[in-house]
């Protein structure tokens, strides 16, 4: 009993340490203590290490588990580093779901091999690989459900206690690291309890029910797939894939078929189903897998031929190749007759290793989806296969540094050819070289036109203008070009420390927009300029004439800065005050 309690304590502590570590990384990034790149690399590495540690330590001593989990965490951190340098902003790696799925595959797929090697002495032991693969899936799902149940219980408990005026749980959860600690502790404890249950039952008892339920689905999946393939062969498929491509659906059906065939055949002949209907359905599904993969590839090719490469389509192409590989191996195993199930079992570990290899290559420069996509899209515009009015510089921007290089290439080629239509399309695109140059020019023009008070606050003016979009700069320029009766510009920027709780200075921007006057508070946050409304101390709205007079007076001299005529009940941000 003490050993069981000790194991629970160890895994709960590991989970809590995982939560605390991820909190420190995210908090450090939010406070600017570490850069975004370092935070993402550390987050990926730590998440992988602790997840692997929880999985492996359920069956191994903690130090042995840590010795196997650490290299995996380092590998994922290294791959994330290679991936994120495709963008100037590290968050660009989240633009495509394929990148996240590839990282997940490299983090998860090695775990059954590590467990099998540690417990049996060889990673080729298929019964061990089979059991560990399904056990990891079930334990992970149970741990996630338990963690969600803990949060549901906390929410209900907090709601009940608030009825009698107690916010103990709410106050606890409001402490910054507590949500991370609670989630990690609950997840680790759940992994420990599920591992205990698995150890007390025969190897097949914990998986038998799930596998038997899954096997019941294979006749349905095989029948639906057969009907689809026959119908496609007889009547064809609608080629209009502009709004919807069947490739993802076909790949999902192929993945479901592979999973159900594996579940039907189990870890060996003794555990496999003996139901003739299920076995024939598994054979039929194996024979249909190549057809599903080929149809998915054809649908993807039609989409690429019409619209070009994107990272998501390239990732789908990798999945098509893997599905076709699985399909050919499974189909050949069935066609060769007796012993087909054993041949599929022997092939599964090698196929899983190929999936891991493909995921690793996807995250390295060998399969740089952004570079390949940017080159293909640029070629389409240069060769006339895509009309210039379809150019969207934002799409190139999401391709990171390769996209920026492609836009620069398009600009140089268009200028050398004198392609006015392509140059106009490039000039309209946010993030394009021409548009960046135009924005820089506009920013310099506005900086020269916009009066600032005090006159020494030119640095704050430059910093705010640098963060503004071109349309914001155009609004300021239009206002500054207007003139009052005395010939003064209809704009002014007043800089002062108006929000003492925030670092640095804020500013008030007053613009004469012709028919009306706007006065807004500005301050930088997260790479943007945030705007807040301004009002008088007594809540009255000033007339346009009064506001024009303010602009004139602010242009002449910096206004004084004084405390607001307000008191509040309470202190800090929790205080309450009258809104004038």
């Amino acid at each position: 009993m003490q050993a069981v309690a000790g194991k629970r304590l160890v895994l709960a502590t590991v989970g809590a340490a995982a939560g605390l570590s991820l909190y420190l990384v995210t908090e450090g990034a939010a406070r600017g203590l570490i850069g975004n790149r370092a935070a993402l690399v550390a987050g990926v590495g730590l998440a992988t290490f602790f997840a692997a540690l929880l999985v492996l330590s359920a069956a191994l001593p903690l130090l042995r588990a840590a010795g196997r989990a650490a290299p995996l965490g380092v590998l994922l951190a290294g791959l994330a580093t290679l991936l994120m340098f495709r963008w100037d902003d590290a968050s660009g790696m989240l633009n495509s779901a394929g990148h996240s799925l590839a990282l997940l595959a490299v983090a998860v797929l090695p775990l059954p091999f590590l467990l099998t090697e540690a417990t049996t002495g060889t990673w080729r032991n298929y019964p061990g690989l089979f059991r560990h693969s399904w056990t990891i899936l079930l334990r992970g799902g149970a741990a996630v459900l338990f963690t969600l149940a803990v949060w549901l219980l906390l929410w209900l408990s907090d709601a009940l206690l608030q009825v009698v005026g107690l916010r103990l749980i709410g106050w606890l959860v409001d402490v910054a690291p507590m949500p991370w600690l609670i989630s990690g502790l609950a997840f680790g404890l759940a992994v420990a309890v599920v591992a205990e249950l698995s150890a007390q039952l025969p190897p097949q008892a914990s998986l038998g029910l799930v596998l038997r339920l899954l096997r019941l689905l294979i006749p349905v999946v095989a029948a639906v797939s057969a009907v689809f393939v026959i119908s496609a062969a007889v009547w064809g498929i609608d080629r209009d894939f502009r709004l919807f491509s069947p490739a993802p659906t076909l790949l999902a059906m192929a993945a479901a078929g592979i999973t159900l065939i594996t579940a039907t055949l189990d870890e060996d002949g003794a555990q496999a189903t003996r139901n003739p209907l299920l076995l024939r359905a598994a054979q039929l599904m194996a024979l249909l897998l190549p057809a599903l993969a080929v149809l998915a590839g054809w649908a993807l090719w039609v989409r690429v031929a019409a619209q070009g490469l994107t990272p998501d389509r390239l990732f789908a192409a990798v999945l098509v190749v893997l599905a076709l590989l699985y399909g050919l191996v499974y189909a050949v195993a069935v066609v060769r007759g007796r012993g087909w199930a054993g041949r599929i079992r022997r092939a599964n570990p090698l196929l899983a290793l190929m999936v891991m290899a493909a995921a690793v290559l996807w995250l390295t420069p060998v399969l740089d989806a952004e570079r390949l996509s940017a080159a293909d899209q640029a070629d389409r515009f240069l060769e006339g296969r895509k009309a210039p009015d379809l150019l969207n510089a934002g799409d190139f921007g999401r391709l990171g540094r390769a996209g920026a290089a492609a836009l620069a290439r398009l600009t140089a080629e268009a200028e050398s050819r004198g392609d006015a239509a392509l140059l106009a399309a490039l000039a309209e695109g946010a993030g394009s070289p021409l548009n960046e140059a135009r924005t820089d020019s506009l920013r310099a023009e506005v900086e020269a036109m916009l009066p600032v008070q005090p006159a020494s606050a030119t640095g704050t003016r430059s910093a705010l203008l640098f963060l503004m979009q071109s349309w914001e700069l155009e609004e300021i320029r239009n206002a500054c070009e207007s003139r009052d009766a005395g010939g003064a510009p209809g704009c002014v920027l007043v800089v002062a420390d108006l929000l003492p709780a925030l670092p640095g200075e804020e500013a008030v921007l007053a613009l004469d927009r012709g028919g009306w006057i706007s006065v807004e508070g500005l301050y930088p946050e997260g790479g943007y300029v945030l705007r807040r409304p301004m009002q008088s101390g007594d809540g009255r709205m000033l007339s346009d004439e009064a506001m024009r007079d303010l602009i004139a007076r602010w242009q002449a001299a910096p206004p004084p800065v004084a405390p607001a005529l307000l008191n509040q009940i309470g202190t800090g941000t929790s205080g309450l005050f009258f809104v004038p």
Side-chain angles (χ1 to χ4, degrees):
M1 192 65 182
Q2 290 181 344
V4 170
K7 190 74 169 181
R8 291 184 181 182
L9 178 60
V10 167
L11 292 186
T13 302
V14 169
L20 181 60
S21 299
L22 294 175
Y23 163 76
L24 292 175
V25 169
T26 56
E27 188 68 11
R31 293 178 179 271
L33 301 177
I34 57 176
N36 288 337
R37 293 188 191 280
L40 275 172
V41 169
V44 170
L46 287 170
T48 303
F49 168 73
F50 280 111
L53 183 60
L54 285 171
V55 169
L56 298 175
S57 59
L60 301 175
L62 187 63
L63 290 180
R64 286 185 65 195
R68 286 166 170 77
L72 190 58
V74 173
L75 172 63
L76 264 292
L79 291 173
T81 302
L82 287 176
L83 176 64
M84 71 175 59
F85 276 101
R86 298 179 191 178
W87 296 269
D88 291 325
D89 181 1
S91 62
M93 65 185 286
L94 304 177
N95 288 340
S96 171
H99 301 325
S100 301
L101 291 174
L103 286 169
L104 183 64
V106 179
V108 173
L109 290 179
L111 296 178
F113 290 89
L114 293 173
L115 272 175
T116 303
E117 186 276 331
T119 54
T120 67
T122 174
W123 60 267
R124 294 176 177 273
N125 185 295
Y126 186 74
L129 285 173
F130 183 89
R131 286 196 303 271
H132 287 310
S133 299
W134 283 98
T135 299
I136 290 170
L137 180 63
L138 294 179
R139 287 177 183 172
V144 169
L145 289 176
F146 178 76
T147 305
L148 293 175
V150 167
W151 279 107
L152 177 61
L153 177 62
L154 287 174
W155 178 76
L156 291 174
S157 301
D158 185 48
L160 182 63
L161 292 177
Q162 285 190 41
V163 174
V164 293
L166 297 177
R167 286 202 71 249
L168 298 177
I169 296 177
W171 290 334
L172 178 66
V173 173
D174 286 341
V175 177
M178 290 308 297
W180 296 83
L181 285 171
I182 292 171
S183 298
L185 191 148
F187 191 90
L189 181 61
V191 169
V193 173
V194 175
E196 292 166 15
L197 180 62
S198 300
Q200 295 170 4
L201 297 173
Q204 278 294 323
S206 57
L207 298 178
L209 177 61
V210 173
L211 295 177
R212 282 179 171 80
L213 289 174
L214 287 175
R215 291 169 186 169
L216 297 178
L217 300 177
I218 196 162
V220 178
V221 174
V224 171
S225 300
V227 170
F228 174 82
V229 171
I230 294 171
S231 300
V234 175
W235 293 296
I237 303 176
D238 183 5
R239 290 175 58 95
D240 187 6
F241 298 156
R242 289 172 296 179
L243 298 178
F244 170 77
S245 173
T249 304
L250 288 164
L251 288 171
M253 186 62 82
I258 293 167
T259 302
L260 294 177
I261 290 171
T262 303
T264 301
L265 301 184
D266 214 294
E267 64 181 52
D268 55 31
Q271 302 297 335
T273 182
R274 291 176 173 78
N275 187 313
L277 173 63
L278 298 182
L279 290 173
R280 293 293 177 264
Q283 289 178 317
L284 175 61
M285 191 68 230
L287 295 173
L288 290 170
L289 284 177
L292 293 176
V294 168
L295 288 171
W298 173 77
L300 181 63
W301 177 82
V302 170
R303 192 70 172 246
V304 170
Q307 300 179 12
L309 290 176
T310 65
D312 287 338
R313 288 173 195 149
L314 278 168
F315 188 73
V318 173
L319 294 182
V320 166
V321 173
L322 292 174
L324 184 59
L325 184 62
Y326 266 91
L328 290 175
V329 170
Y330 281 26
V332 169
V334 171
V335 170
R336 289 179 61 187
R338 184 183 298 274
W340 65 276
R343 285 189 285 271
I344 289 178
R345 293 190 194 98
R346 288 192 295 274
N348 272 339
L350 298 177
L351 291 170
L353 290 175
M354 290 183 183
V355 173
M356 279 189 277
V360 169
L361 291 176
W362 178 264
L363 299 168
T364 66
V366 176
L367 272 179
D368 189 335
E370 282 67 31
R371 174 176 53 81
L372 296 172
S373 299
D376 177 72
Q377 293 292 341
D379 288 341
R380 287 173 177 271
F381 285 109
L382 292 174
E383 295 168 6
R385 288 181 287 155
K386 252 188 173 181
D389 59 353
L390 295 177
L391 191 147
N392 186 340
D395 292 339
F396 281 93
R398 282 185 283 275
L399 299 177
R401 293 172 176 173
L407 282 175
R409 175 187 162 209
L410 280 172
T411 302
E413 290 283 346
E415 288 176 343
S416 66
R417 298 178 184 182
D419 191 334
L422 185 54
L423 283 171
L426 286 165
E428 290 298 320
S432 71
L434 287 178
N435 190 65
E436 288 292 337
R438 188 177 67 174
T439 302
D440 290 342
S441 175
L442 178 59
R443 185 178 294 113
E445 183 181 358
V446 169
E447 188 160 5
M449 300 171 66
L450 178 62
V452 62
Q453 293 289 3
S456 60
T458 54
T460 301
R461 178 181 63 186
S462 298
L464 290 171
L465 294 178
F466 179 77
L467 297 177
M468 289 186 181
Q469 305 295 316
S470 58
W471 63 270
E472 297 175 291
L473 297 172
E474 288 174 354
E475 284 186 339
I476 299 174
R477 182 185 62 180
N478 293 339
C480 291
E481 287 176 343
S482 66
R483 292 291 185 267
D484 63 11
C491 60
V492 67
L493 185 74
V494 178
V495 175
D497 187 8
L498 300 175
L499 297 173
L502 297 181
E505 294 178 310
E506 295 73 42
V508 177
L509 178 65
L511 300 177
D512 187 343
R513 300 176 181 268
W516 57 288
I517 307 293
S518 69
V519 180
E520 295 178 302
L522 309 178
Y523 63 94
E525 183 173 300
Y528 297 93
V529 174
L530 299 187
R531 297 169 178 255
R532 293 294 181 264
M534 306 287 291
Q535 69 176 48
S536 62
D538 59 5
R540 290 184 298 110
M541 292 293 294
L542 296 180
S543 66
D544 285 346
E545 287 303 318
M547 295 178 76
R548 285 192 177 92
D549 181 61
L550 274 181
I551 291 177
R553 284 191 281 120
W554 290 352
Q555 289 175 349
V561 178
L565 302 176
L566 289 173
N567 286 325
Q568 70 177 23
I569 298 175
T571 60
T573 57
S574 62
L576 301 175
F577 57 87
F578 282 107
V579 177

